Amino acid sequence: MVKKVQAAKKKKRKKVVETSSEQETSEEEDSKEEVNEDEQLRPECLSPEELEKLKEAVDERKKLVQSLRGKPWPMKKKLVTLRESQEFVEKYEGALGKGKGRKLYAYKVMMTKRWMKFQRDFENFKTACIPWEMKIKEIESHFGSSVASYFIFLRWMYGINMILFGLTFGLVMVPEALMGRPYGSIPRKTVPRAEEAGAMDFAVLWDFGGYARYSVLFYGYYNNQHAIGWLKFRMPLSYFLVGVGTVAYSYMVVIRTMARNANESGVGDDNSFNFCWKMFTSWDYLIGNAETADNKFASITTSFKEAILEEQENQKDDNIHLTRFLRVLANFLVLCCLAGSGYLIYFVVRRSQKFALDGLENHTWWERNEVNMVMSLLGMFCPMLFDVISTLENYHPRVALQWQLGRIFALFLGNLYTFIIALMDEINLKREEEKIIKFNITMWEASLYNGTASENSTTPLITIHPADVPRGPCWETMVGQEFVRLIISDTMTTYITLLIGDFLRAVLVRFLNHCWCWDLEAGFPSYSEFDVSGNVLGLIFNQGMIWMGAFYAPCLPALNVLRLHVSMYLQCWAVMCCNVPQERVFKASGSNNFYMAMLLVILFLSTLPAIYTIVTIPPSFDCGPFSGKNRMFDVIHETLESDFPAWFSKVFSYASNPGLVLPFILLMVLAIYYLHSTSKSYKEANVELKKKLQLQNEENKKKNKRAALKAQTDLEEARKTTSQAAERQKNNNASLRSQEEYEENYAKSQRLCHSKNGRNPTFSGEDRQHQVTARVSRNYHHGNHETHGYLPGFSQQSEPRICRVPSLQRH
Amino acid sequence: MGNKQTTFTDEQLEAYQDCTFFTRKEILRLHGRFRELAPHLVPLDYTNNPDVRVPPTLIVTMPELKENPFRDRIVATFSEDGQGNQTFNDFVDMFSVLCEASPRELKTIYAFKIYDFNRDNFICKEDLQHTLNKLTKGELTAEEVSLVCDKAVEEADLDADSKLSFTDFENMISKAPDFLSNFHIRI
């Protein structure tokens, strides 16, 4: 008997627990109180299934606490629910732990709690570490979210580069500096005698020659010793793995960010909700500055007026052939530009090779730095040219911006690849040179031996100062140097453009305005706007160059961290000081993934040359951690053989058997194909559903229109009959009653019609009144449009009805 | 921890961290901002949960809100009494929903409430007209306003009742590319 009562009480508790995750908490609190007391009395009498239910209830409560942030409840309710759930969980977790495994369960619970607390503290710590938050907020409030998005992107890049810097600095540069052979001990680590005189000159150092070249900053300094120092640190292995690791880490981060953004971005359906989006999503809530707000109001108004104009005119068919011809012409001009710039770079690189052969001292500063300057100048002027050409095309601003970005992308890419091809030519030259020098060195060593053999000593000691040993050419260091020089000149160009183009311009406009014929601020030069897309592209391409050169110059990530740090402060200052908020705001695309996608493409394209050189070209014999090997990746093979137990290398050799690798690759290709076709079918299903939704919408409108027309005719008939009846009969009540019936029937049909859409036709009296007047005014405006809407036919009030009838009459 | 703050007990801070998207430091900072609005009204010590409400006229002077055309509606939506008098709980709730970490669904729900001027759980044509007038500061003519509102209803209204229910609104906003980045206040 007691058990039955208990069971009943527990069922009630379960029901109570199930409803607790919904709205009301007050009743549940009361019932929980009584149940609690019961439970406290008999904690042991819980059968296994009741234990299970209790466990489920506790888990559900825990889940509720986790999801509390995202619930649309007022804060007070959330706090109360939180406190109750926590009390419930604490009370019953203890009870659950009775019986077998109690200690384990309690331990698990305690560890989970500790883990969550640790996670929370870590999150707090992480947010405290984020730099420049206030700076970005200030920029956001002045310029809106699109300009600030550039700075947020810059900060994100800074984070990535910090990690890359940590890897290269900690695992490559520091071990070699601390534990490797010191400077001057072996030939590759010493400045050759011929260059010693000018090794400390600033000009040479700025060019990354001299002492800068023979240091941990570049590939050539590293020794190929298998293990160095007392830690037996395997330098070549570490160098190789860090190189691979930087690329792998970058891929992981970019793809993870893209996946995260993909969830948030809307489906690219640009025109179906044009006006709605303009109304509800055009105001930027980040704006906190009066001038920016005014600009934003103006731009919103303009955009509405434009949309209204477009709507009213529909399509003004311009001369479509002329437009097409102009667009083709514009694309042709752009292609000519791109080809021209590619050829110019190739020509300049070949010329600089010629200069290098002649000896660099014979040429002017311009001729020495020609390549870098030409690339930077092209990057500055060609986009402006593209901008001018695009005025021929007459596209919508958003489409025009996308074309512009695409062209600048192609320009940078073409320049970069021409540069790389020219570099490859130089590498081949150096390798030819290498063969000759190798031959010369053997001759030189032989002569040394001949010289010392005459001394009749058993072990000929060759004590030659390392600086005097003839050195082989080191193409890897040369590549690293080229990239470092490119980055430096690019950075200098950017900063100088910033100072001249933005700052000087702003100063001139401000101070010359007093004594100039026309208003400089409103007219021609005026203050510049911040070019978000140009800056983002510049950032992306710089990062691409870092990725390309990081294998050959471990100092590049460090340089980049410094560069980004300075850029952040400089550009924040410049934007607040010299720029004005943009008048028209067109983002290049709806989602953030556009820039992420470009970054991914650049990452892929920049790792290709590095991978190609690693896989195909044998390393220099005289410099770097891989000297003496046939290929750079041989270091992995050697490590497997020498440092791992024997069975490991056997397993690996089986695993790298083509018979195993090929089926694996085939399997992956099949998996990709399967996923691709599934995603395609989902997309098609999505489109189908959208179409169905549209059709349903149309049908609903048609149905409502028909019903409204029918109601109209019915009412008119009813009116006629009532007026006739009123004339014929003296009893007004009877006629009104028939009118009511008509209304009711019609209202019933309306309700049936509406209830299909699942809406609840009950509402308060005040709303009804409001809706009646609303509908009246709406019908007046709509004219021939759909005459839908509520008709509260079943109201007993005569007032609204009489109001209604004349309005329908006007139709 | 290191700081000797006595504004909140640790349990209160943990509770706030569970119920909002803010960290401990941010919650303390928010309390500072709240106090700044009305220093004589808001006490420093919140350990016993005083029931203090700041009137909306003071809240809309915050730099984050003062240029926003919808500031009155935002403050009113997140207030207990619906008139805009906010307690600290409402204040924190408001900024938590509008912060960057807040999910799309939550923001959609509150956006709907903000744009529903007459609070009838539908965005009818009057609400749209109010919204538009606030956005354009009255620069558009009456016919233009009417045209835009009609077009908006036509685009988004799926159940053909000439106003937007929450489902219509949600369907329309879920595809909007700028919604998340624009409906965001950084505090």
Side-chain angles (χ1 to χ4, degrees):
Chain A
M1 193 61 200
V2 174
K3 262 257 151 122
K4 273 201 188 142
V5 169
Q6 250 185 6
K9 280 222 174 89
K10 288 205 190 70
K11 286 211 183 72
K12 188 169 93 170
R13 183 182 20 92
K14 180 163 186 278
K15 201 163 40 126
V16 159
V17 162
E18 275 170 10
T19 56
S20 73
S21 49
E22 277 154 40
Q23 306 303 320
E24 289 318 302
T25 57
S26 49
E27 348 145 310
E28 164 243 272
E29 205 178 316
D30 295 341
S31 45
K32 203 163 71 82
E33 286 306 321
E34 11 169 310
V35 173
N36 279 354
E37 293 178 15
D38 262 13
E39 276 308 310
Q40 270 175 343
L41 296 174
R42 293 174 218 269
E44 269 81 38
C45 306
L46 293 174
S47 68
E49 73 248 6
E50 276 152 0
L51 212 60
E52 269 304 306
K53 283 189 199 150
L54 187 55
K55 199 164 186 210
E56 272 175 31
V58 168
D59 282 338
E60 218 177 294
R61 287 289 192 152
K62 280 195 198 156
K63 257 189 251 158
L64 177 66
V65 169
Q66 295 283 4
S67 68
L68 208 47
R69 286 191 188 110
K71 294 239 186 275
W73 300 339
M75 183 60 105
K76 211 178 199 179
K77 188 169 171 186
K78 280 198 264 194
L79 287 171
V80 165
T81 321
L82 176 71
R83 196 182 50 231
E84 283 170 8
S85 305
Q86 281 176 336
E87 282 170 7
F88 182 82
V89 164
E90 267 187 46
K91 183 162 278 180
Y92 289 103
E93 248 172 353
L96 274 180
K98 301 268 186 311
K100 288 191 274 187
R102 167 193 180 170
K103 281 218 176 71
L104 186 64
Y105 185 77
Y107 179 71
K108 259 201 298 189
V109 160
M110 188 193 69
M111 287 312 287
T112 328
K113 270 201 205 132
R114 284 247 184 96
W115 174 244
M116 286 188 39
K117 183 168 189 319
F118 171 73
Q119 271 186 327
R120 171 158 295 168
D121 285 340
F122 187 62
E123 284 293 323
N124 282 350
F125 171 69
K126 266 206 302 191
T127 33
C129 276
I130 296 181
W132 303 314
E133 187 76 3
M134 285 295 128
K135 250 195 219 307
I136 291 187
K137 186 180 164 188
E138 207 187 333
I139 294 183
E140 264 173 345
S141 77
H142 271 84
F143 291 93
S145 57
S146 62
V147 169
S149 71
Y150 166 73
F151 288 97
I152 294 176
F153 189 62
L154 180 62
R155 186 172 65 181
W156 181 76
M157 283 291 219
Y158 181 77
I160 294 186
N161 277 289
M162 273 303 247
I163 307 249
L164 294 184
F165 165 69
L167 278 177
T168 50
F169 189 71
L171 291 176
V172 171
M173 288 167 79
V174 163
E176 183 72 20
L178 289 181
M179 298 193 284
R181 312 276 302 267
Y183 172 82
S185 54
I186 45 176
R188 66 179 61 168
K189 296 200 182 208
T190 328
V191 177
R193 190 70 69 183
E195 295 175 23
E196 229 174 60
M200 224 16 197
D201 291 347
F202 180 74
V204 171
L205 281 180
W206 181 259
D207 229 11
F208 286 90
Y211 284 114
R213 173 176 172 170
Y214 296 96
S215 68
V216 283
L217 298 179
F218 289 101
Y219 176 96
Y221 185 80
Y222 294 82
N223 197 8
N224 67 341
Q225 210 172 338
H226 181 69
I228 53 177
W230 55 275
L231 274 176
K232 295 274 178 266
F233 190 81
R234 285 159 178 69
M235 194 65 225
L237 182 67
S238 153
Y239 197 97
F240 189 78
L241 286 182
V242 163
V244 170
T246 49
V247 171
Y249 171 74
S250 309
Y251 267 112
M252 195 190 76
V253 162
V254 172
I255 292 183
R256 191 176 62 179
T257 316
M258 277 183 85
R260 213 183 291 157
N261 285 344
N263 289 340
E264 297 172 353
S265 74
V267 181
D269 204 350
D270 262 336
N271 277 319
S272 55
F273 294 110
N274 206 6
F275 281 95
C276 278
W277 289 346
K278 279 202 211 298
M279 264 219 268
F280 293 117
T281 64
S282 59
W283 180 262
D284 192 350
Y285 280 52
L286 286 166
I287 294 178
N289 174 316
E291 190 191 328
T292 320
D294 286 337
N295 265 354
K296 191 75 178 164
F297 282 124
S299 90
I300 290 179
T301 312
T302 319
S303 121
F304 269 115
K305 288 203 187 221
E306 276 179 7
I308 293 174
L309 217 63
E310 241 182 76
E311 188 66 28
Q312 283 171 347
E313 291 183 21
N314 258 345
Q315 251 93 7
K316 192 165 61 169
D317 255 345
D318 255 343
N319 193 349
I320 191 90
H321 296 291
L322 180 66
T323 320
R324 271 205 207 123
F325 171 71
L326 283 176
R327 284 180 188 170
V328 168
L329 179 67
N331 279 324
F332 177 71
L333 285 174
V334 164
L335 276 172
C336 288
C337 259
L338 288 173
S341 84
Y343 178 70
L344 186 63
I345 291 183
Y346 189 75
F347 173 72
V348 160
V349 170
R350 295 309 286 251
R351 230 159 71 108
S352 81
Q353 282 171 355
K354 216 167 27 116
F355 292 158
L357 285 175
D358 290 346
L360 286 172
E361 305 75 38
N362 304 340
H363 299 279
T364 63
W365 176 86
W366 170 262
E367 279 165 346
R368 262 179 282 154
N369 290 319
E370 209 172 23
V371 179
N372 304 326
M373 296 313 297
V374 163
M375 279 185 71
S376 309
L377 286 174
L378 274 177
M380 214 165 62
F381 287 116
C382 280
M384 288 189 229
L385 195 59
F386 292 156
D387 219 357
V388 169
I389 294 179
S390 74
T391 53
L392 278 177
E393 289 180 326
N394 201 15
Y395 277 127
H396 181 270
R398 181 177 277 204
V399 177
L401 183 63
Q402 282 176 329
W403 274 96
Q404 174 81 347
L405 282 178
R407 286 178 187 142
I408 298 179
F409 189 78
L411 173 77
F412 281 168
L413 210 56
N415 291 354
L416 208 55
Y417 263 72
T418 322
F419 177 73
I420 289 172
I421 291 175
L423 263 184
M424 293 299 286
D425 281 346
E426 271 195 51
I427 293 178
N428 285 333
L429 257 171
K430 279 238 150 69
R431 287 179 57 209
E432 296 297 321
E433 210 182 301
E434 208 178 280
K435 292 200 194 109
I436 302 175
I437 293 200
K438 236 187 191 161
F439 183 70
N440 283 347
I441 286 187
T442 42
M443 300 300 303
W444 176 82
E445 273 181 0
S447 73
L448 268 183
Y449 270 109
N450 284 342
T452 50
S454 61
E455 287 184 15
N456 256 342
S457 49
T458 44
T459 50
L461 287 166
I462 303 176
T463 49
I464 308 225
H465 193 271
D468 293 322
V469 175
R471 310 290 313 284
C474 196
W475 61 265
E476 293 98 341
T477 308
M478 185 235 0
V479 169
Q481 275 177 317
E482 286 294 326
F483 275 110
V484 172
R485 285 191 206 127
L486 192 61
I487 299 273
I488 300 266
S489 74
D490 206 47
T491 314
M492 290 294 124
T493 320
T494 315
Y495 291 166
I496 293 180
T497 325
L498 190 72
L499 284 175
I500 296 182
D502 282 356
F503 182 62
L504 211 60
R505 175 171 159 179
V507 163
L508 283 176
V509 167
R510 170 69 68 86
F511 292 117
L512 281 186
N513 210 11
H514 301 303
C515 47
W516 205 263
C517 348
W518 71 86
D519 188 358
L520 287 172
E521 279 181 6
F524 161 54
S526 76
Y527 299 106
S528 53
E529 290 180 355
F530 188 78
D531 179 16
V532 179
S533 40
N535 274 303
V536 171
L537 267 186
L539 202 60
I540 291 179
F541 271 93
N542 271 311
Q543 191 59 37
M545 290 199 271
I546 299 289
W547 278 321
M548 252 197 259
F551 190 75
Y552 297 112
C555 64
L556 270 179
L559 256 176
N560 205 29
V561 163
L562 189 63
R563 188 183 76 94
L564 287 177
H565 204 98
V566 172
S567 280
M568 184 62 159
Y569 286 107
L570 191 65
Q571 282 184 311
C572 276
W573 165 79
V575 115
M576 295 298 292
C577 165
C578 323
N579 288 9
V580 286
Q582 291 158 319
E583 287 183 357
R584 316 293 310 286
V585 179
F586 282 107
K587 283 161 70 172
S589 91
S591 66
N592 285 330
N593 267 355
F594 183 67
Y595 292 127
M596 282 295 147
M598 279 213 287
L599 194 62
L600 191 64
V601 169
I602 290 286
L603 175 58
F604 179 68
L605 291 175
S606 16
T607 50
L608 275 183
I611 293 179
Y612 174 74
T613 50
I614 290 175
V615 167
T616 51
I617 305 184
S620 308
F621 75 96
D622 194 23
C623 64
F626 308 113
S627 57
K629 302 202 206 314
N630 197 15
R631 288 278 187 278
M632 290 189 195
F633 54 81
D634 282 345
V635 70
I636 303 269
H637 191 63
E638 285 175 17
T639 314
L640 278 177
E641 278 186 357
S642 56
D643 294 331
F644 282 100
W647 55 266
F648 206 87
S649 69
K650 226 194 276 183
V651 164
F652 224 74
S653 68
Y654 286 154
S656 59
N657 185 3
L660 206 60
V661 169
L662 279 179
F664 183 68
I665 293 182
L666 201 63
L667 198 67
M668 290 219 288
V669 167
L670 284 175
I672 292 177
Y673 174 71
Y674 169 73
L675 287 171
H676 177 73
S677 58
T678 334
S679 98
K680 213 166 41 160
S681 70
Y682 282 153
K683 271 193 210 146
E684 278 169 19
N686 206 5
V687 170
E688 281 297 317
L689 283 171
K690 238 189 270 182
K691 268 194 236 161
K692 258 196 202 161
L693 209 59
Q694 284 289 82
L695 276 173
Q696 189 69 24
N697 190 10
E698 307 281 325
E699 258 185 53
N700 279 345
K701 287 198 178 131
K702 280 194 208 136
K703 219 180 290 185
N704 280 339
K705 196 171 184 180
R706 255 183 277 135
L709 278 174
K710 182 172 180 303
Q712 190 184 339
T713 46
D714 280 350
L715 268 172
E716 284 193 11
E717 276 182 32
R719 218 176 41 80
K720 274 192 216 132
T721 48
T722 43
S723 56
Q724 284 175 6
E727 283 170 15
R728 264 191 265 123
Q729 289 175 18
K730 289 173 189 162
N731 198 354
N732 278 343
N733 283 341
S735 67
L736 274 173
R737 226 179 291 132
S738 67
Q739 200 173 355
E740 270 175 41
E741 277 174 25
Y742 265 113
E743 311 267 298
E744 246 171 4
N745 286 339
Y746 145 77
K748 255 188 228 144
S749 69
Q750 274 290 82
R751 250 179 296 147
L752 279 173
C753 200
H754 282 306
S755 64
K756 265 199 217 140
N757 303 334
R759 248 182 314 106
N760 190 356
T762 58
F763 39 82
S764 68
E766 182 199 306
D767 287 327
R768 210 182 304 156
Q769 192 75 350
H770 173 83
Q771 276 167 8
V772 163
T773 48
R775 205 193 56 77
V776 162
S777 57
R778 232 181 303 151
N779 280 341
Y780 184 65
H781 282 298
H782 265 293
N784 289 338
H785 277 296
E786 35 272 27
T787 57
H788 41 65
Y790 277 117
L791 284 171
F794 54 87
S795 80
Q796 298 306 313
Q797 305 165 14
S798 51
E799 281 296 320
R801 246 184 293 134
I802 294 177
C803 285
R804 221 185 325 123
V805 168
S807 78
L808 279 176
Q809 231 182 348
R810 266 180 239 143
H811 277 290
Chain B
M1 315 293 152
N3 42 357
K4 302 191 264 314
Q5 58 87 20
T6 49
T7 320
F8 295 106
T9 62
D10 276 339
E11 291 82 37
Q12 281 178 315
L13 278 175
E14 289 290 320
Y16 276 127
Q17 284 184 70
D18 275 324
C19 294
T20 65
F21 294 98
F22 288 127
T23 61
R24 185 194 163 90
K25 191 173 83 158
E26 285 161 348
I27 293 172
L28 291 170
R29 192 151 43 106
L30 273 171
H31 179 259
R33 297 295 302 272
F34 191 59
R35 189 142 190 273
E36 250 173 55
L37 295 172
H40 49 280
L41 209 56
V42 176
L44 186 57
D45 189 346
Y46 251 76
T47 44
N48 46 359
N49 287 322
D51 183 19
V52 172
R53 285 151 201 261
V54 176
T57 44
L58 287 178
I59 303 182
V60 299
T61 60
M62 284 182 78
E64 287 86 356
L65 288 177
K66 71 173 162 54
E67 298 298 333
N68 195 319
F70 301 109
R71 54 186 177 271
D72 299 310
R73 276 302 302 153
I74 296 175
V75 172
T77 308
F78 285 98
S79 61
E80 260 179 78
D81 56 3
Q83 299 301 318
N85 300 297
Q86 287 193 341
T87 63
F88 181 64
N89 283 341
D90 300 327
F91 189 75
V92 169
D93 204 17
M94 173 167 73
F95 284 108
S96 168
V97 166
L98 287 167
C99 83
E100 205 172 2
S102 158
R104 190 182 202 112
E105 301 78 31
L106 190 62
K107 283 187 173 171
T108 313
I109 294 176
Y110 278 102
F112 184 75
K113 287 192 192 165
I114 289 176
Y115 293 124
D116 181 10
F117 281 76
N118 52 14
R119 284 190 288 236
D120 59 351
N121 285 330
F122 288 100
I123 296 184
C124 57
K125 196 170 169 201
E126 274 64 36
D127 297 332
L128 290 173
Q129 283 174 344
H130 276 296
T131 312
L132 193 57
N133 283 324
K134 282 213 192 287
L135 269 179
T136 57
K137 273 191 174 171
E139 288 282 326
L140 295 179
T141 66
E143 299 95 55
E144 288 173 334
V145 168
S146 178
L147 176 65
V148 171
C149 295
D150 291 340
K151 285 295 302 176
V153 169
E154 195 185 304
E155 280 171 358
D157 190 14
L158 290 176
D159 46 15
D161 58 351
S162 75
K163 50 191 177 174
L164 305 184
S165 66
F166 178 66
T167 346
D168 303 331
F169 185 77
E170 191 181 14
N171 178 43
M172 178 265 294
I173 283 282
S174 65
K175 307 199 176 75
D178 296 334
F179 175 62
L180 272 180
S181 60
N182 277 346
F183 197 71
H184 161 219
I185 294 187
R186 194 187 291 268
I187 183 93

